[in-house]
Amino acid sequence: MRKQTIWIAAIVMALMSSCGGQKEESSKAPIRVKTLVVSPGMVDNAQTYVGVVEESEATAVSFTSMGVVKRVLVDEGQAVSRGQLIAEMDDTQARNMLSNAQAQMAQANDAYARMKQLYDQRALAEIKWVETQSQVAQAKSQLEMAKKNLSDCHLTAPVSGIIGRKQIGAGETVLPSQAVVSILDISTVKVKVAVPEAEIGGITTNTPTSIKVEAIDGRYQGGTIEKGVQADALTHTYDVKINVANADRKLLPGMVASVRFVTDGSQGFSSQSIPVTSIQKKADGSLFVWTVTQDSTAHRSAVQIGGTQGNYVSVTNGLSIGQRIVTEGYQKLSEGTKVIY
């Protein structure tokens, strides 16, 4: 009788412990997730890719001669106008050369004036008169060259735009044609994306596009499209560049963009196409997605997938229309977790 009583007490304690665990489990706050319902027409014919914003044109600005940079008058990101002074080089030597050339010019003009009087009086040999004219021409040429050398010590913007990168600072020695700054034209920009060879055929110069840039929370309609004609040897993708108007200059080179192409020849996704990021993999290599039942409980559902298109993948087996799947927040889920969405 005593032994039976002990067993009954143990069972009661186990039941109480079990109930307490269930109560503790049920008391956990639900995990917040984002979901979508598998349904016909869930997505359209749009294909989505990741792109990068590029300037429409970049101009490297450089001195034409060697020298020491005295000062740089612009900063990165600064707007400049055509003809604006950008940098100056030490012009001491150029000024000395100009002074020397001016003196030679004055001497040549003086000789010309005196020789002309003799020539007009027919007291000067023809060959001497020709030599005098040549000396004047040479002095004039040297003077013009000295003026240009002095002018070249001042670097001005050949085009209007935004200073992209400043590559030379004050006190540094610069070589001819060595870029001091780059000027970017971003009044219009290009969004560059890599398109797989199997999908490039459906894109034309006038294919409609919509572009979203998270960095500035901006949405834009793309313009004309430039298609590359040479595929990348490793990825078998073609570069496609979409022209985008950028009058407010908010789009900057290097920003990441989400680009949607709507092609006439593309096939719409099946009713069981879901975001690629929703697909998870178990340790044994099998695939699954997190689905949510009517009681807001998360469960693993094994799936088989087909081909991908943009950021979506088709599910050939394991899902049905009307099921709700988790697209964000699945990292904290386990079997039976309560969720809110």
Side-chain angles (χ1 to χ4, degrees):
M1 184 65 179
R2 179 180 177 80
K3 188 173 183 180
Q4 184 177 2
T5 302
I6 293 174
W7 274 107
I8 291 174
I11 293 173
V12 170
M13 290 179 65
L15 289 174
M16 291 177 63
S17 176
S18 176
C19 292
Q22 291 177 2
K23 183 177 181 180
E24 182 181 354
E25 182 69 25
S26 62
S27 64
K28 288 184 178 179
I31 303 297
R32 181 171 293 279
V33 296
K34 288 187 178 181
T35 66
L36 62 80
V37 177
V38 180
S39 60
M42 181 174 60
V43 289
D44 55 18
N45 287 2
Q47 303 174 32
T48 305
Y49 304 88
V50 175
V52 178
V53 177
E54 296 181 345
E55 67 278 1
S56 62
E57 188 174 354
T59 303
V61 185
S62 60
F63 288 102
T64 58
S65 58
M66 179 178 175
V68 177
V69 176
K70 184 163 61 175
R71 57 177 181 163
V72 180
L73 304 173
V74 293
D75 296 314
E76 294 182 0
Q78 178 180 337
V80 295
S81 303
R82 182 177 181 179
Q84 181 176 335
L85 184 62
I86 291 177
E88 291 181 338
M89 185 188 295
D90 185 359
D91 58 1
T92 303
Q93 184 177 357
R95 288 187 179 278
N96 291 336
M97 291 178 63
L98 178 60
S99 297
N100 185 48
Q102 289 172 334
Q104 291 182 357
M105 187 75 248
Q107 183 179 6
N109 285 334
D110 180 67
Y112 179 85
R114 288 185 287 105
M115 291 299 180
K116 188 175 187 305
Q117 291 180 354
L118 295 175
Y119 181 75
D120 291 343
Q121 297 172 2
R122 299 181 182 277
L124 183 68
E126 187 71 25
I127 188 169
K128 287 292 185 180
W129 177 239
V130 172
E131 287 179 357
T132 300
Q133 291 178 314
S134 297
Q135 289 173 356
V136 171
Q138 290 176 3
K140 184 176 181 180
S141 176
Q142 291 176 356
L143 178 60
E144 294 300 322
M145 185 177 297
K147 288 180 178 179
K148 185 179 185 305
N149 288 338
L150 180 59
S151 176
D152 287 345
C153 291
H154 299 79
L155 187 63
T156 58
V159 295
S160 299
I162 302 294
I163 299 298
R165 179 171 297 178
K166 187 166 64 174
Q167 303 182 33
I168 296 293
E172 296 185 58
T173 299
V174 66
L175 299 175
S177 301
Q178 182 180 1
V180 177
V181 297
S182 60
I183 300 179
L184 309 180
D185 180 5
I186 60 171
S187 56
T188 60
V189 295
K190 297 180 180 181
V191 178
K192 178 181 175 182
V193 298
V195 178
E197 61 181 9
E199 301 168 14
I200 192 67
I203 297 175
T204 68
T205 56
N206 297 313
T207 297
T209 57
S210 62
I211 299 166
K212 182 178 180 182
V213 181
E214 294 287 353
I216 57 174
D217 193 24
R219 296 178 182 271
Y220 300 82
Q221 292 298 318
T224 56
I225 294 175
E226 303 171 15
K227 292 173 58 176
V229 296
Q230 187 171 1
D232 185 278
L234 297 177
T235 61
H236 296 281
T237 57
Y238 290 83
D239 286 340
V240 171
K241 296 182 179 181
I242 307 116
N243 289 282
V244 182
N246 187 34
D248 56 6
R249 288 178 167 78
K250 288 185 177 180
L251 289 173
L252 300 177
M255 286 184 174
V256 177
S258 176
V259 181
R260 297 175 70 247
F261 291 92
V262 181
T263 58
D264 294 335
S266 64
Q267 297 296 321
F269 293 134
S270 70
S271 60
Q272 296 182 14
S273 290
I274 63 175
V276 174
T277 53
S278 300
I279 303 295
Q280 307 297 309
K281 182 183 289 188
K282 293 182 180 179
D284 60 4
S286 61
L287 303 178
F288 71 94
V289 296
W290 288 102
T291 58
V292 180
T293 56
Q294 292 183 351
D295 62 352
S296 299
T297 302
H299 299 281
R300 293 184 180 88
S301 296
V303 294
Q304 295 178 353
I305 63 173
T308 60
Q309 194 170 21
N311 291 334
Y312 285 80
V313 60
S314 62
V315 177
T316 58
N317 189 26
L319 291 180
S320 59
I321 296 174
Q323 279 189 286
R324 183 178 295 275
I325 66 170
V326 177
T327 58
E328 293 184 28
Y330 46 76
Q331 296 87 347
K332 298 180 180 180
L333 298 182
S334 58
E335 186 66 27
T337 299
K338 290 290 185 178
V339 299
I340 53 176
Y341 50 86

